[in-house]
Amino acid sequence: MNCKPLQAGAGVAFKPQYFEALLADPQRLDFIEIHVENYFGAGGLLHAQMGALREHLPLSVHGVGLSLGGAQALDAGHLQRLAELCRRYQPVLVSEHLAWSSHASVYLGDLLPIAYDRATLDRLVEHVDQLQCALQREVLIENPAAYLRLAQSDMSEVEFLCSLSQRSGCGLLLDLNNLLISSHNCGGEPRDYLQQLPAERVGEVHLAGHTRVELPGGEFVLVDEHGSAVADTTWQLYAEWVRHAGKCPTLVEWDRNLPTWSVLAAEADCVRSLQCVPFMPAVALDVPL
């Protein structure tokens, strides 16, 4: 198993439909990513496929259900299963969301917003410390797709993430699709956000598709749906980010309305081509969005 750290490259969210194509040509990608909760069982088809692929491809594991931002203590059973999965597959990257998703042992099936205030920050630092201690490794925390801002917030999301990373030692997962969605829905300039983000703490980038939902009066919101190709505006922002910060492992997320393997692999090829953009650390981000 290849456990060396990833410095760059293109990956996709693995789905069983793509197993044969990947096994036949694993060099088409640099890594694959899975949602950890789908692999909490001990055996079955998913683990059989993953065991075969893991012999050829580095693995990133992405959590969606730990509820790091919740008011209650982390679920000890969930944390234990995650640690066991990491010991089993030795992933090169581990990530979770800046969100909450459960309360009173009830899983709510969504990534819900948190207040960006001091009390929430203190709780997140405690939970991230607990997670990283359990795994004995750095974890990347992902910026969410936002549809509203909670009134209790007294700092921006990027300020919150910077403080979280500084205090806990966690890395950051930069989801550019989420950033564009949040900036449109809640206000803010993506380029200003990225200028404030510590590029050296970003260990992975996510790209995905979104959809536009019309509202009465002619306005619209953007929705994070992972069921279509990466939008042109997201590609533009990614190219600027690579020029500004350099390349790092980048994942194409496509979880619904799954395309053929050739279509998904072409998205990964686009990542690779944009990672060839010359690194210009002094350049200002200037994307026409």
Side-chain angles (χ1 to χ4, degrees), residues 259-283:
T260 63
W261 171 244
S262 61
V263 169
L264 185 58
E267 295 278 277
D269 291 341
C270 189
V271 169
R272 282 197 177 119
S273 67
L274 290 174
Q275 287 188 352
C276 294
V277 174
F279 176 35
M280 300 172 64
V283 73

Side-chain angles (χ1 to χ4, degrees), residues 148-169:
L148 54 83
R149 298 288 191 205
L150 298 182
Q152 302 97 308
S153 296
D154 56 16
M155 66 181 84
S156 69
E157 179 180 284
V158 68
E159 290 172 334
F160 189 95
L161 280 168
C162 289
S163 295
L164 176 63
S165 180
Q166 183 178 34
R167 288 180 55 185
S168 71

Side-chain angles (χ1 to χ4, degrees), residues 93-169:
L93 298 167
V94 179
S95 54
E96 248 292 352
H97 289 84
L98 187 70
W100 66 282
S101 55
S102 62
H103 183 73
S105 300
V106 176
Y107 180 63
L108 302 172
D110 208 343
L111 296 167
L112 300 168
I114 61 173
Y116 298 132
D117 61 8
R118 182 62 54 183
T120 308
L121 178 60
D122 291 343
R123 183 170 68 247
L124 257 294
V125 169
E126 180 182 346
H127 286 174
V128 171
D129 282 344
Q130 184 181 353
L131 173 59
Q132 294 187 138
C133 286
L135 302 185
Q136 289 295 294
R137 62 179 299 153
E138 177 189 76
V139 174
L140 309 178
I141 303 301
E142 178 181 353
N143 59 297
Y147 305 95
L148 54 83
R149 298 288 191 205
L150 298 182
Q152 302 97 308
S153 296
D154 56 16
M155 66 181 84
S156 69
E157 179 180 284
V158 68
E159 290 172 334
F160 189 95
L161 280 168
C162 289
S163 295
L164 176 63
S165 180
Q166 183 178 34
R167 288 180 55 185
S168 71

Side-chain angles (χ1 to χ4, degrees), residues 239-258:
E240 290 295 328
W241 173 253
V242 171
R243 290 181 62 208
H244 168 74
K247 53 192 176 183
C248 74
T250 300
L251 182 88
V252 176
E253 294 184 289
W254 200 323
D255 299 319
R256 301 172 54 252
N257 305 321
L258 295 177

